[in-house]
Amino acid sequence: MMDHRRLSKRPGFLGLAVLMLILAGCSSTKLAYRYADWGVVWWVEDYVDLTGEQKATLNRDLDALRQWHCSAELPRYTLWLDELEADLARGTPDVDTIHYHRQQLTAFIPDLLDRAVPVAVNLLKTLSDDQVQELARNMARDQRELEDEMLAGTEQETARARAERTSERLERWLGSLNSQQQALVEAWSADRGRQTEIWLQGRENWQKALLATLETRNQPGFSANIRELVVNSETARGPEYQAMLDESQQAMAELMHNLLQAGSSRHQEHLLAKAGELNGDFTTLTCS
């Protein structure tokens, strides 16, 4: 369905819903929701060959998490989407309104992460030494590949590649961008400076912290340390990452506002339709 490596980035505004529900790349929201792996243990499941017993335990835990999320959290998403649709129907939202909705969406994350921690702990504590070594090798290889892919070329080439990725994500929600909107995305991407480099370094920092924590998986306090890594991941990623994240969130809100202002009713209607489509899927989704 998708490359989980990309999900560790923090998207803005509506894109965060894609991260939370692992919907990207699937034709049906409801189908994706039922069969999503939640991104909870992508750094293990993608990189380590699990035993039959580990897979069975993981599937059981993920089913329980999915059932809780469907019954307890989706109604909250529906209420938020109702409010978002109402604001979009009134016209282009200002920056404060975009910030508000992003904060509303972000507020859903702590409960999900809190419930996800036991799933991660139950799997991680069963890893053998060989599996931990396999995890380390594969994460290091993947990190090198990402660095080669995303930092290749000049600063201008990196900015252009960032603009292309951003445009692709935005067009899912706004439809095809006009020339003025594309220029805004290119200017925004050029202003991000070392953002890609900082994100990659933060990713590597977090992985190193995970591997260090796994060395204590048979000791008291392991669960608490994993909880810290999952719930407060920015801390492990480093202060430069945290500063970049705060700045990029503000910049993304301003970009979204400027894009909607530079767009036509077509873009507003496309965004409203996508929000309504997502809301409709959540409303009709059964939790069995």
Side-chain angles (χ1 to χ4, degrees):
M1 285 171 53
M2 72 205 68
D3 182 348
H4 293 291
R5 297 177 305 175
R6 305 298 186 264
L7 296 177
S8 59
K9 296 181 76 172
R10 285 294 188 94
F13 197 39
L14 285 173
L16 193 54
V18 179
L19 168 66
M20 293 169 62
L21 302 178
I22 320 300
L23 304 178
C26 297
S27 59
S28 166
T29 298
K30 289 178 281 189
L31 182 66
Y33 186 89
R34 288 195 178 101
Y35 294 100
D37 67 5
W38 295 86
V40 173
V41 287
W42 62 265
W43 17 264
V44 177
E45 195 177 16
D46 277 7
Y47 296 148
V48 176
D49 288 329
L50 302 180
T51 67
E53 183 177 357
Q54 286 171 328
K55 290 179 181 179
T57 300
L58 177 61
N59 289 335
R60 182 199 66 212
D61 288 348
L62 288 175
D63 283 344
L65 175 62
R66 187 181 297 110
Q67 180 65 27
W68 164 80
H69 192 267
C70 182
S71 60
E73 295 296 277
L74 290 193
R76 296 173 61 201
Y77 295 0
T78 296
L79 291 175
W80 166 68
L81 282 166
D82 286 342
E83 188 175 10
L84 174 63
E85 288 182 70
D87 282 343
L88 290 174
R90 283 191 283 267
T92 301
D94 58 25
V95 174
D96 287 341
T97 301
I98 293 176
H99 271 305
Y100 167 78
H101 281 293
R102 193 184 192 287
Q103 290 168 353
Q104 292 293 102
L105 186 53
T106 303
F108 297 141
I109 296 178
D111 286 344
L112 176 58
L113 293 180
D114 189 64
R115 292 275 184 156
V117 167
V119 179
V121 170
N122 283 347
L123 176 61
L124 294 173
K125 69 183 181 182
T126 69
L127 294 182
S128 67
D129 290 344
D130 286 344
Q131 286 177 314
V132 172
Q133 291 171 10
E134 180 185 5
L135 175 63
R137 288 194 304 272
N138 289 335
M139 287 197 303
R141 181 206 64 225
D142 193 50
Q143 181 75 11
R144 289 193 300 271
E145 290 176 357
L146 277 177
E147 290 173 356
D148 290 343
E149 173 190 344
M150 302 181 77
L151 297 179
T154 65
E155 182 178 332
Q156 292 75 19
E157 290 170 336
T158 299
R160 281 197 297 271
R162 184 188 299 121
E164 291 174 3
R165 293 192 300 270
T166 303
S167 294
E168 183 179 347
R169 297 187 193 104
L170 288 168
E171 286 181 346
R172 294 180 184 177
W173 297 101
L174 298 177
S176 58
L177 304 182
N178 61 35
S179 58
Q180 185 179 356
Q181 289 172 319
Q182 191 62 52
L184 286 168
V185 172
E186 290 172 2
W188 175 87
S189 298
D191 286 343
R192 301 282 61 76
R194 295 177 54 246
Q195 179 171 302
T196 301
E197 179 185 347
I198 293 170
W199 172 72
L200 285 166
Q201 184 60 58
R203 183 179 189 273
E204 184 176 19
N205 292 343
W206 186 89
Q207 290 179 351
K208 288 180 178 178
L210 171 64
L211 292 172
T213 302
L214 285 174
E215 294 300 315
T216 68
R217 62 191 180 280
N218 296 318
Q219 300 175 16
F222 175 68
S223 296
N225 291 335
I226 290 297
R227 177 176 295 278
E228 179 66 17
L229 277 177
V230 172
V231 174
N232 299 310
S233 64
E234 291 85 356
T235 301
R237 294 176 192 272
E240 194 172 24
Y241 178 93
Q242 294 175 63
M244 179 273 291
L245 182 62
D246 292 340
E247 189 278 333
S248 66
Q249 289 175 351
Q250 172 70 28
M252 178 57 76
E254 293 175 358
L255 175 63
M256 286 297 301
H257 171 70
N258 293 338
L259 287 172
L260 289 171
Q261 276 199 322
S264 64
S265 58
R266 170 178 64 85
H267 297 99
Q268 191 86 2
E269 290 167 1
H270 194 282
L271 178 57
L272 185 58
K274 291 296 289 185
E277 177 184 329
L278 187 60
N279 200 1
D281 281 348
F282 287 165
T283 300
T284 61
L285 184 62
T286 59
C287 296
S288 60

